[in-house]
Amino acid sequence: MQRRTYLRAVGTGAAVGLAGCLGGGGNPNVSLSKPDRENDVSSEDLPYPAWGQQVPDVTLTDPIGGTEVAVRDIDTPHFHTFFFTNCMTVCPVLISALREVQIHSVTEGYADEVSFYPVTFDPARDDATAFRKEADQMNVDMDVGNWHFLRPADQAEAKSVVEDQFGVFFQKDEPNEDGNYMFTHLGLVMLVNGDGYVERTYRGNQPDEQTLIDDLTALREA
């Protein structure tokens, strides 16, 4: 099955990246063991980088920090998700789950050992102002310094980076009578190690925050 066909077929299905034991499963690039998946699905079968695979070699803007972020060069364990700030369905849940991990990192004293990089696919509306508003609404602590909203330059780059390279499907819906629009998209969170390899993927609309914390803890302690 071709990558794009599979991408559209999976839609917003259930999570396939599950918690597992340490060990790397024979893959020297990761610390967590191969996750249990239904129907013997392998990482190569999935449209997005999954366990043992490297994230794409892309650079995106952090408009709040005013910096460029080379995704593969992030040298701490980190999380990605893909969202837009005007979303009223799955995106707040994805951001909320990562916020809970951020809170845990602060209260447990390891905030400098993990980072968060949500990527928007709506650069036409998502700028520094929109991201600051999102952080305020979602109680994300930007002062900690480990949370960075990332933005493609324009819609063409959003498609190239998010859909074509990260393999995360999104589709702009028809605008309403006021010109406002939403997106249909895949709900996905990635846990990536400091070498740019995916340790876990969590697909679905309600990632379990405790699982995120547990897998991150296992990775940090590996």
Side-chain angles (χ1 to χ4, degrees):
M1 182 180 291
Q2 292 185 350
R3 182 180 179 91
R4 181 58 56 80
T5 303
Y6 186 93
L7 179 69
R8 296 184 182 277
V10 296
T12 55
V16 294
L18 305 176
C21 300
L22 293 176
N27 188 319
N29 297 313
V30 291
S31 297
L32 302 187
S33 65
K34 184 177 180 179
D36 296 326
R37 299 190 181 113
E38 295 181 2
N39 302 319
D40 295 323
V41 173
S42 70
S43 295
E44 289 73 19
D45 294 325
L46 298 170
Y48 43 78
W51 178 83
Q53 296 181 324
Q54 200 167 24
V55 294
D57 185 12
V58 297
T59 298
L60 295 168
T61 300
D62 169 6
I64 293 180
T67 60
E68 298 293 308
V69 177
V71 171
R72 279 191 183 175
D73 292 344
I74 300 169
D75 59 3
T76 60
H78 56 281
F79 289 93
H80 290 295
T81 195
F82 306 87
F83 81 115
F84 64 111
T85 63
N86 283 272
C87 180
M88 295 180 289
T89 54
V90 60
C91 300
V93 180
L94 300 174
I95 297 297
S96 177
L98 294 187
R99 179 205 63 207
E100 291 304 309
V101 182
Q102 186 198 41
I103 291 172
H104 188 267
S105 76
V106 172
T107 58
E108 297 300 316
Y110 64 92
D112 59 345
E113 299 176 30
V114 62
S115 47
F116 305 86
Y117 293 86
V119 180
T120 182
F121 41 80
D122 187 17
R125 297 182 293 187
D126 287 348
D127 55 13
T129 299
F131 287 148
R132 290 190 184 97
K133 181 179 178 181
E134 178 81 356
D136 288 342
Q137 290 178 336
M138 298 302 298
N139 295 317
V140 171
D141 191 343
M142 298 301 294
D143 292 334
V144 173
N146 64 358
W147 189 290
H148 308 271
F149 290 106
L150 298 184
R151 178 183 181 273
D154 51 34
Q155 203 60 49
E157 186 178 43
K159 182 181 183 303
S160 171
V161 170
V162 176
E163 188 168 89
D164 295 341
Q165 298 190 66
F166 271 106
V168 176
F169 165 74
F170 70 93
Q171 180 173 299
K172 185 178 178 180
D173 299 337
E174 287 296 321
N176 62 20
E177 60 273 12
D178 297 322
N180 295 320
Y181 57 88
M182 303 290 282
F183 289 88
T184 300
H185 64 96
L186 178 68
L188 187 75
V189 173
M190 294 179 177
L191 171 59
V192 185
N193 64 33
D195 294 318
Y197 288 89
V198 176
E199 297 276 357
R200 286 288 180 268
T201 52
Y202 315 87
R203 194 178 76 216
N205 294 349
Q206 293 184 315
D208 179 69
E209 59 203 42
Q210 190 59 53
T211 298
L212 303 182
I213 291 170
D214 290 345
D215 287 344
L216 173 61
T217 300
L219 175 57
R220 292 176 49 242
E221 295 176 351

